Amino acid sequence: MTTTWDVITQLWELQPSVLTGCLLLLAGYLWLTHGEPRSKSLLFAAGDAVLAFALVSPLDLLGDDYLFSAHMLQHLLIMLVAAPMMVAGLPASLVERAQQHTFLARAMDVLGNPVLDWFIMALILWGWHAPVLYNAALASEGVHILEHLMMLAAGLMFFWPILNPLPERRIQPLAVVPYAFTGAISNSILGILLTFTPVGLYPAYVNPTDEIGILKLIRQGWGLTAEIDQQVGGLLMWVPGGLVFLSMVLVGLTRWYAEEGKLEDEMFLAPEEAGTD
């Protein structure tokens, strides 16, 4: 009988295209940022590793064929973990150099539009969980790849105005609060709907084709019936996913508090400096 350890150790899908793509992404980053702060490089590399893990680990096979909850966790890792880590891992000097090229400068201007970024994130998040698109992604590898690429792009766009390496290009600290908070609300509403919608929204998970013989382990060993699986998937989006958005609210408030403190210091220092002249 297949065990949980067998699933963890044997169900990796080491797809050459995915591994090559992630390695080339990291190699390109290191080539462009040679000599930059190690902390930034480690952060970007960690984001790249999370992306690779989401796409080649057992989560991929489980999400494709057996578990909605595994597929949801994969989506969250791509959009809400890998994407912000990659944005935060970009050094300011790289962005400054990119802005010297007209096309890239215009592209970053588009990326810096928080209204556009917010609506694209919401559209991608809600759109790809609509049954017609979600089930199409399960049925077609090409559509599935497109889904993951769009989710990564949406994540990068959403976090760009908050985590832009150039502080002057970020949205104002207090503007981060409604931006991220409404993002959390949108994410949570979808998670709540998925949690409480009757089972069968995604038929492929109700009676999976058990080609590798792990369905008994999933249903009896792990206790993940089709109903519980959908509820767990919705809860993953609702709670951990919502917390990522809310953490950005804290980022905005922290920056606002720091800026206010700096402004007050400057106001107190100014009279003293004037008196010494």
Side-chain angles (χ1 to χ4, degrees):
M1 177 180 175
T2 303
T3 65
T4 300
W5 181 248
D6 293 332
V7 172
I8 294 172
T9 58
Q10 298 178 18
L11 297 186
W12 290 70
E13 296 190 324
L14 303 179
Q15 304 171 46
S17 59
V18 173
L19 294 175
T20 301
C22 289
L23 286 173
L24 287 175
L25 182 62
L26 181 58
Y29 170 89
L30 294 174
W31 179 68
L32 290 170
T33 62
H34 179 67
E36 296 293 344
R38 181 173 297 180
S39 59
K40 289 281 189 178
S41 299
L42 290 175
L43 189 57
F44 187 91
D48 191 54
V50 169
L51 177 63
F53 175 83
L55 297 175
V56 303
S57 72
L59 281 178
D60 190 60
L61 185 144
L62 290 171
D64 284 355
D65 300 328
Y66 293 93
L67 292 172
F68 171 67
S69 54
H71 206 172
M72 178 62 73
L73 181 56
Q74 184 185 45
H75 290 174
L76 295 179
L77 288 175
I78 293 171
M79 296 183 77
L80 302 183
V81 181
M85 292 176 76
M86 288 180 170
V87 173
L90 294 174
S93 59
L94 177 62
V95 179
E96 289 171 344
R97 294 200 304 271
Q99 287 188 148
Q100 296 174 7
H101 301 276
T102 303
F103 173 78
L104 293 177
R106 289 177 179 173
M108 284 188 285
D109 285 340
V110 173
L111 280 175
N113 185 327
V115 175
L116 176 65
D117 295 337
W118 193 98
F119 277 104
I120 287 180
M121 174 62 124
L123 181 63
I124 297 300
L125 193 65
W126 282 78
W128 279 109
H129 287 93
V132 62
L133 288 181
Y134 193 100
N135 293 326
L138 293 179
S140 168
E141 184 63 21
V143 176
H144 204 172
I145 292 171
L146 177 64
E147 174 193 43
H148 288 163
L149 288 174
M150 291 179 69
M151 287 185 168
L152 178 61
L156 294 171
M157 291 184 69
F158 183 86
F159 290 102
W160 183 260
I162 305 174
L163 303 176
N164 192 313
L166 301 178
E168 66 273 15
R169 301 301 297 271
R170 298 170 186 161
I171 57 177
Q172 293 298 313
L174 285 184
V176 174
V177 176
Y179 178 77
F181 185 72
T182 53
I185 292 175
S186 173
N187 176 83
S188 296
I189 290 174
L190 179 56
I192 291 168
L193 289 175
L194 293 172
T195 301
F196 294 107
T197 296
V199 70
L201 194 63
Y202 310 120
Y205 296 123
V206 178
N207 294 299
T209 301
D210 189 20
E211 296 181 354
I212 57 177
I214 63 170
L215 187 58
K216 184 177 181 181
L217 171 67
I218 291 171
R219 294 289 191 248
Q220 298 180 12
W222 298 352
L224 289 175
T225 63
E227 183 177 14
I228 293 175
D229 172 45
Q230 184 171 310
Q231 291 171 349
V232 171
L235 285 169
L236 283 171
M237 173 174 281
W238 180 4
V239 182
L243 289 175
V244 174
F245 286 95
L246 292 178
S247 70
M248 294 296 105
V249 172
L250 293 179
V251 168
L253 291 174
T254 301
R255 287 178 181 167
W256 172 78
Y257 182 78
E259 288 186 3
E260 286 294 301
K262 183 179 179 181
L263 181 60
E264 289 181 3
D265 289 343
E266 291 175 351
M267 291 175 64
F268 279 111
L269 287 173
E272 296 179 5
E273 291 174 353
T276 58
D277 291 341

